[in-house]
Amino acid sequence: MTSQPDADPNRKRKPAIVLVLGDQLSLGLSSLRRADRAQDVVLMVEVMEEATYVRHHKKKIAFILSAMRHFAKTLQSEGWTVDYVRLDDPLNTGSFTGEIGRAVARHRADQVVMTEPGEWRVLDAAQAWPTSFGVTLDLLTDDRFICSVAEFRAWAKGRKQLRMEYFYREMRRKTGLLMTGDEPEGGQWNYDADNRKPAKADLFMPRPYQPDLDDTTRDVLELVGERFANHFGRLEPFRFAVTPEEAAEVLTRFLKVALPRFGDYQDAMLQGEPWLYHAVISPYLNVGLLDPLTVCRAVEDEYRAGRVPLNAAEGFIRQIIGWREYVRGIYWLKMPGYTQVNELGAARPLPAFYWTGETDMACLRAAIGQTRDEAYAHHIQRLMVTGNFAMLAGINPAEVHEWYLAVYADAFEWVEAPNTLGMSQFADGGLLGSKPYAGGGNYINKMSDYCGSCRYDVKQRTGRDACPFNALYWDFLDRNADRLRRNPRLGPVYATWEKMGEVARQETRQSARMFLDTLVGWQEPEKRS
Ligand code: FAD
Ligand code: DLZ
Ligand code: SF4
């Protein structure tokens, strides 16, 4: 389905429509390299379907629309003809398919050129365009990724188990990042063991980026405020970069201020400190305002210049050339179908507090509250607080997936679904990771300062005041013993459960049951009695 760019500027032909999607905002995009700016038309469309197929966070919609409008202006200034359809255009049909149909007629085009979309849903829709509109569809490889879909498939073929660590080593060799000849810098591939420090409230914390908002962003904020008032999340303060220059500023600040401590405090969580030493660049990488390899080379330069330790540089580079590329490979290997996985048969509705933040559990209140305010939570909050709770409580993974896809500014299905369904919910039965990321209150207490101000007692396992994570943790293992007991990494945990004795086990099950019975699913306000 995909082919490589091969421009032929002298060819006389009808104009091609070059569809550039909201997460393809890169001047070096393969579809733009293929096109001829003297003859072809770049089409960019703001469509309701993309904002509502899940009800995205207001900040996420504003970020994408503002970045799209800025990118269109840049393309025009570089000599491209850009046909830009705004959300409030009265003739806007509201979908990619509808807008391709209108644009093909408007420009009398017989060809649509497009870099492969990030989501299977969009690829599936696009494949019907040749039949519906009598055009050819030229889908090009998205070479902003380091590993192509075909290359990942070849790597995965014939392996009994897929593991990120081995894939990551391939990517280190392929890019040469942090390599000394054929050997990993410092003699080890992975320095994660050094990256487990809890944060202390008196550490110096980098301040969040605050761009100057221009008229384009202000217009978009007004539009989103009016059209998406009933979507989750606060629209302001709006802190996202919307151009490559602004995104580069965010990266530079991170390299200088936060990267040196990124490794040490990667897993830490603190009240009132949503960002800590994280980069907060995933939205920019995912829509194309930053290039992954350029980012990693800049991080390596900081290490080589002696300004950041190896554990920080390696840990950061691993997230991008390891995890980010790996989850994309898994997504395209397993779609369609991956978004419906539910190996543990979890069926409980998502609790309403995921949308309101109203819960007595201080850790969940903090993670969900900052998600509502900033459309951001860092990895450990997503994995070990909101994700861990959902898995332990047996929440239907499809509902968990929809929540993560809606609430984060960086969420696109290719990266969100494997992280949510595979890494955090173990709903793919261990395809992505070797064991469930399950933890009791003790883990959260160790890595955060949440428990001190919580109404629950993290030291208690059962009873009304006990931290709910504790009984839920054991109850989850007990409920899923048939599937998980044989996992060698869980053997010692099951041995502890057995040693507890039947009375303690019964009390734990009962405590979990009583807590689960208090959970209420979300209902649209109009459906509430
Ligand atoms: P940093 O911690 O500073 O890390 C640097 C970069 O590494 C990130 O910007 C990101 O591009 C990359 N990265 C780190 N971890 C991962 C990972 N597990 N998978 C892919 N890339 C990674 N990331 C998304 O980009 N979009 C999502 O929709 C998304 N959904 C997630 C859902 C769950 C349940 C979990 C557990 C993780 C999810 N992640 C997602 C991964 C990770 O949480 C975010 O990439 C990270 O929090 C972004 O913040 P940052 O830029 O400050 O990252
Ligand atoms: C997420 C999003 C939103 C909210 N709106 C638009 C839009 O109006 N136009 C557009 O081209 N893209 C948008 N996007 C990003 C798309 O959902 C994304 O490009 C597809 O899911 C393909 O990965
Ligand atoms: Fe979360 Fe339990 Fe700690 Fe409360 S006591 S913050 S519920 S881990």
Side-chain angles (χ1 to χ4, degrees):
M1 282 310 302
T2 56
S3 54
Q4 292 303 327
D6 136 42
D8 176 4
N10 300 318
R11 204 156 32 127
K12 281 271 171 277
R13 52 168 169 75
K14 289 184 177 180
I17 303 283
V18 184
L19 178 63
V20 173
L21 303 176
D23 57 356
Q24 298 184 337
L25 311 180
S26 314
L27 283 174
L29 197 69
S30 54
S31 57
L32 292 171
R33 298 204 319 269
R34 161 65 69 85
D36 173 4
R37 73 184 80 183
Q39 301 190 67
D40 297 330
V41 176
V42 174
L43 178 69
M44 296 182 71
V45 295
E46 298 177 356
V47 286
M48 277 305 269
E49 186 169 289
E50 293 309 300
T52 56
Y53 72 96
V54 295
R55 294 212 303 194
H56 293 300
H57 194 297
K58 294 187 194 81
K59 273 199 166 98
K60 177 181 186 180
I61 302 173
F63 160 61
I64 290 173
L65 296 191
S66 178
M68 284 176 66
R69 290 184 184 192
H70 282 93
F71 187 67
K73 277 193 209 145
T74 306
L75 286 175
Q76 278 162 339
S77 68
E78 300 245 327
W80 290 93
T81 303
V82 181
D83 184 354
Y84 193 96
V85 182
R86 289 190 176 223
L87 196 76
D88 49 10
D89 182 330
L91 298 179
N92 188 331
T93 56
S95 71
F96 287 142
T97 295
E99 288 313 292
I100 280 288
R102 287 203 313 130
V104 164
R106 201 160 54 237
H107 299 287
R108 297 180 205 286
D110 61 0
Q111 192 189 357
V112 173
V113 179
M114 182 188 187
T115 293
E116 58 193 354
E119 301 194 346
W120 188 88
R121 174 184 63 83
V122 179
L123 177 66
D124 192 43
Q127 276 162 342
W129 297 342
T131 314
S132 306
F133 306 123
V135 290
T136 58
L137 174 66
D138 210 353
L139 277 174
L140 304 166
T141 300
D142 190 345
D143 50 18
R144 297 174 302 172
F145 289 94
I146 295 154
C147 180
S148 71
V149 172
E151 195 182 342
F152 188 88
R153 242 178 241 286
W155 175 81
K157 200 171 172 195
R159 280 174 196 263
K160 270 208 221 116
Q161 259 196 346
L162 304 181
R163 288 294 166 255
M164 196 287 294
E165 187 61 32
Y166 298 109
F167 170 79
Y168 165 57
R169 292 177 191 181
E170 292 296 310
M171 293 301 105
R172 288 273 294 278
R173 291 191 185 97
K174 179 174 180 182
T175 58
L177 282 160
L178 292 180
M179 295 296 290
T180 313
D182 292 339
E183 296 302 316
E185 180 71 13
Q188 272 172 241
W189 290 102
N190 182 320
Y191 291 88
D192 224 10
D194 302 343
N195 294 353
R196 299 272 150 71
K197 293 202 178 96
K200 300 242 168 14
D202 56 358
L203 279 174
F204 163 73
M205 292 298 160
R207 292 295 99 209
Y209 175 70
Q210 182 58 66
D212 293 329
L213 307 185
D214 63 8
D215 288 347
T216 302
T217 299
R218 283 184 207 289
D219 286 352
V220 165
L221 290 175
E222 201 181 318
L223 177 79
V224 172
E226 276 168 18
R227 293 282 177 113
F228 303 101
N230 62 351
H231 282 217
F232 176 73
R234 295 221 168 108
L235 188 52
E236 292 180 86
F238 184 81
R239 301 184 210 270
F240 288 109
V242 291
T243 63
E245 294 75 23
E246 287 180 349
E249 211 180 310
V250 176
L251 175 66
T252 305
R253 282 167 50 110
F254 167 70
L255 295 174
K256 302 292 169 225
V257 180
L259 177 62
R261 282 174 153 167
F262 171 84
D264 288 352
Y265 297 110
Q266 204 179 334
D267 289 3
M269 299 175 276
L270 271 184
Q271 304 258 21
E273 295 289 349
W275 302 280
L276 293 160
Y277 297 100
H278 292 271
V280 200
I281 58 165
S282 46
Y284 315 132
L285 288 168
N286 295 352
V287 304
L289 300 183
L290 287 177
D291 171 62
L293 207 49
T294 310
V295 168
C296 291
R297 297 226 186 279
V299 169
E300 179 173 23
D301 288 349
E302 290 301 298
Y303 163 71
R304 301 251 178 235
R307 287 189 289 265
V308 307
L310 183 54
N311 70 312
E314 186 283 317
F316 188 84
I317 286 172
R318 174 162 23 92
Q319 306 311 316
I320 295 186
I321 68 168
W323 279 112
R324 186 170 184 271
E325 297 283 330
Y326 180 71
V327 298
R328 177 177 184 255
I330 296 274
Y331 177 78
W332 285 107
L333 191 66
K334 294 295 169 185
M335 282 300 281
Y338 192 78
T339 48
Q340 281 100 54
V341 291
N342 188 1
E343 283 281 321
L344 301 179
R348 193 174 290 278
L350 187 75
F353 65 71
Y354 274 76
W355 297 109
T356 63
E358 288 165 18
T359 165
D360 286 343
M361 289 176 279
C363 53
L364 281 153
R365 201 167 57 233
I368 295 167
Q370 73 172 70
T371 300
R372 176 199 59 219
D373 294 349
E374 306 291 349
Y376 177 81
H378 71 66
H379 187 66
I380 292 300
Q381 293 175 305
R382 297 188 206 195
L383 185 64
M384 295 311 292
V385 179
T386 43
N388 183 25
F389 181 86
M391 179 175 68
L392 299 184
I395 310 299
N396 181 344
E399 291 194 33
V400 183
H401 159 53
E402 189 175 323
W403 185 79
Y404 278 99
L405 188 54
V407 302
Y408 291 112
D410 59 20
F412 295 89
E413 198 176 79
W414 64 266
V415 51
E416 176 278 330
N419 268 300
T420 303
L421 297 166
M423 190 187 299
S424 105
Q425 300 302 294
F426 206 67
D428 64 6
L431 173 79
L432 192 113
S434 55
K435 80 174 183 63
Y437 280 97
N442 195 29
Y443 174 85
I444 295 174
N445 193 29
K446 195 169 110 205
M447 298 314 300
S448 79
D449 65 353
Y450 295 145
C451 302
S453 61
C454 186
R455 112 137 189 61
Y456 294 107
D457 181 351
V458 72
K459 301 282 178 223
Q460 291 186 43
R461 180 169 32 85
T462 57
R464 290 175 63 83
D465 293 331
C467 165
F469 279 84
N470 292 338
L472 287 179
Y473 172 75
W474 292 113
D475 189 56
F476 164 79
L477 290 168
D478 188 41
R479 282 196 321 266
N480 294 294
D482 285 352
R483 287 194 162 274
L484 302 178
R485 193 192 294 273
R486 269 164 291 134
N487 184 320
R489 297 184 66 190
L490 291 175
V493 186
Y494 276 103
T496 308
W497 175 237
E498 294 306 327
K499 268 196 232 134
M500 263 184 212
E502 189 49 29
V503 174
R505 284 201 298 270
Q506 271 308 347
E507 277 172 8
T508 307
R509 288 183 193 112
Q510 200 186 355
S511 225
R513 191 73 23 221
M514 277 170 57
F515 176 79
L516 289 172
D517 285 346
T518 66
L519 297 180
V520 183
W522 172 254
Q523 282 198 316
E524 296 292 331
E526 61 269 24
K527 290 196 201 135
R528 285 187 215 155
S529 54

